[in-house]
Amino acid sequence: MTQRSRVAEVETCAGRVGPAPASLESFLYALHTSESIAAVQSVFIGFAGRLLKASAYGIYHFSPGTLEPSDVRTRGVSDEYLDRYESAGRACDPLLERVVEHRRAFSSDLDLSATGWRGSPLYEVNRFGGIARAVQAPVVASGELVGTLNVARSDGEPAFAGRDVELVELLSRHISAAVARILRTSKLGDYCAVLECALDILITPLVVGSLDGTLLFAASPGSRLIGGRGPGANTLN
């Protein structure tokens, strides 16, 4: 998907939920040019308040194969609340349970009964953090749940409407795409490093060049054969 089509997609959604944020294009550009999970998280936290009004925002990245957070960025909640959520809230979070099962955004206002939300043990944890209502959405890469987006409002703020959940869902899809790209790039770098190490121990010299003679890669025996010159040198003519 091109940058322009990404902008058009979110502008279409924003047109349904209210005025398009002036910073929308900047958000998408920053998101889809991020080169690390930490950068993606910083972009979301930096722009979230301009995209959707709420009192608190969070973005979680999980350790592989678990629901245990390895990287967390938040705004609007205390460290004490985050510690309490991890120790007493995550295991009984009804929104997270639905996100894990269905891989879409869920809202306490629209998807849970008053009893289901206020009767949950999580509700007391959230009250400690000043949270009265919340939306959670999945971050998915290569079919795996690798994190969540969390948006919350206090008692003094309006309930989340369907248009709010739709926007959070759309943001989660773009963040998922950015995270998937970063994870693929990281894996590719790991594969390349392993391959280079394997080629370095070969006895047979291996030299790879472009059609114009520019050196692209030389394993250790091949590098010695051409005098130790590195990639980019015109050594193959």
Side-chain angles (χ1 to χ4, degrees), residues 42-58:
S42 293
V43 168
F44 173 71
I45 293 300
F47 281 90
R50 288 175 260 178
L51 300 173
L52 179 64
K53 296 301 181 184
S55 59
Y57 308 89

Side-chain angles (χ1 to χ4, degrees), residues 31-34 37 40 173-183:
L31 176 65
H32 289 292
T33 56
S34 295
I37 301 299
V40 167
R173 294 210 314 267
H174 279 276
I175 289 172
S176 293
V179 168
R181 170 181 53 79
I182 290 165
L183 294 178

